[in-house]
Amino acid sequence: MPQDEPAGRTGRTDHDEQPRWLDAEQQRLWRAYLDGSVRFVDAMTREHDEQSEVSLYEYELLVRLSESPDGALRMSALADGLAQSRSRVTHTVARMETRGLVRRSATADDRRGVLCTLTDEGRRTLVVAAPTHVAAVRRYLVDVLTPEQFRALGEAMAAVAAACREARPS
Amino acid sequence: MPQDEPAGRTGRTDHDEQPRWLDAEQQRLWRAYLDGSVRFVDAMTREHDEQSEVSLYEYELLVRLSESPDGALRMSALADGLAQSRSRVTHTVARMETRGLVRRSATADDRRGVLCTLTDEGRRTLVVAAPTHVAAVRRYLVDVLTPEQFRALGEAMAAVAAACREARPS
DNA sequence: TCGTGGTAGTTGAAGGTTCAACCGGGTACG
DNA sequence: CGTACCCGGTTGAACCTTCAACTACCACGA
């Protein structure tokens, strides 16, 4: 209800603009987005829980490390790349370190920095997890869309990401 | 790396099919989706934290209730509609009940059922939160896309939702 | 070189989510 | 009837994330 056109427009107060509500069609699309995104992360999460040693988020973290030249990245680079808080990365890396997936060490130049490095065990885990991960991404997303749909989705979300980044510079 | 075409294709074992990796362009789009969706929920979450009495998720819950004829829904209907676990809904509703936003009561027909009802206070909270919520949805998503992009996004996510629902019937 | 302020990362507590176990109430089938 | 199984919902513990300090270091200006 509250997202629909309100029944009776009454006088406006000083500082609150008239909200531009979503029309019925916009609302339908917005709900579809919401529902789809929730179900998708849920499906991916379960897939990882059942088939993999690492959670969806831990997997993404391993991927970032693996893509970096030496399989190593500073904590802050990791946090920025994953669009997550430093605190969260610290905790997650700590847990992963005890499992032997990554290793932490000091950085050469900046004595504040901490370098997070992929271990052999971490790389092995990633290689094992990758096929089921990609298969799930395909099953729930890529392969259920036409190539044009997929492109449109990606481009749209890139615009959304840009808007979020701009409005709230992390 | 692991989502790219692997360097050397080696012999395949019995039960693992060759994974169909994402090509560079697909990967770019997939990453854009991931990044955008993370940043978007993050931006929405902060918006609610700063400007509203209720979290993003609690807001959605209130919306569902408000859309129902009597401002009331069974716990299971709530869980299904929000695509969330029953447990989570139980906990969330319990917290919201102590804040006076909703009320729980027994259902008439099925003695197992629990009816969750929006209180006046809950409705007031929703009405207050709605304008900033919609404004945020517009600022970070709707208004940064062309109408065609927005429609494409919604339709694509509807397809994703359907795929997830089908593969994992909740 | 001394402050001041910003950056990198960690910490622990508080709060939310998930998981598995559980309690009834319904339902179907002998 | 009774009993075995499913459904609706709750519980509490384990786990993860968030938040607000806090430490340590860098960088800039006076």
Side-chain angles (χ1 to χ4, degrees), chain A residues 131-166:
Chain A
T132 59
H133 173 83
V134 178
V137 172
R138 284 194 172 278
R139 176 160 59 260
Y140 299 122
L141 195 129
V142 179
D143 288 354
V144 305
L145 303 175
T146 65
E148 307 84 65
Q149 273 187 308
F150 181 36
R151 172 140 24 70
L153 176 67
E155 301 295 0
M157 291 311 285
V160 170
C164 295
R165 211 166 11 229
E166 186 192 340

Side-chain angles (χ1 to χ4, degrees), chain A residues 7 10-11 25 43 47 54 56 62-63 71 75-76 80-81 83 94 96 113 131 140:
Chain A
T10 52
E25 174 66 359
E47 210 76 25
V54 286
L56 175 56
L62 291 179
V63 168
M75 298 296 280
S76 51
D80 292 350
M96 293 174 78
Y140 299 122

Side-chain angles (χ1 to χ4, degrees), chain B residues 7-81:
Chain B
R9 289 257 158 121
T10 52
R12 43 191 298 192
T13 60
D14 277 354
H15 58 286
D16 66 354
E17 321 255 319
Q18 301 267 30
R20 292 162 46 233
W21 304 104
L22 301 182
D23 64 35
E25 174 65 359
Q26 288 176 318
Q27 188 145 185
R28 183 181 73 79
L29 294 167
W30 159 241
R31 291 288 174 92
Y33 171 76
L34 219 51
D35 187 51
S37 59
V38 169
R39 288 188 195 277
F40 178 68
V41 295
D42 209 63
M44 289 298 298
T45 297
R46 285 181 191 287
E47 210 75 25
H48 274 265
D49 282 359
E50 290 166 11
Q51 318 233 345
S52 173
E53 294 293 314
V54 286
S55 75
L56 176 56
Y57 172 57
E58 289 167 342
Y59 178 83
E60 300 296 340
L61 197 151
L62 290 179
V63 168
R64 299 292 169 149
L65 289 178
S66 79
E67 285 171 350
S68 171
D70 307 312
L73 237 33
R74 286 186 60 153
M75 297 296 280
S76 52
L78 222 32
D80 292 351

Side-chain angles (χ1 to χ4, degrees), chain A residues 57 85 87-88 91-92 95 110-112:
Chain A
Y57 171 58
S85 71
S87 174
R88 182 172 177 182
H91 284 302
T92 305
R95 285 189 295 265
D110 188 340
R111 253 186 299 180
R112 294 169 301 181

Side-chain angles (χ1 to χ4, degrees), chain B residues 134-149:
Chain B
V134 179
V137 172
R138 282 194 174 278
R139 175 161 57 260
Y140 299 122
L141 195 131
V142 179
D143 288 354
V144 305
L145 303 175
T146 66
E148 308 84 63
Q149 272 187 309

Side-chain angles (χ1 to χ4, degrees), chain A residues 17-28:
Chain A
E17 319 257 320
Q18 301 267 29
R20 292 163 46 231
W21 303 104
L22 302 182
D23 65 35
E25 174 66 359
Q26 287 176 319
Q27 188 145 187
R28 184 180 72 79

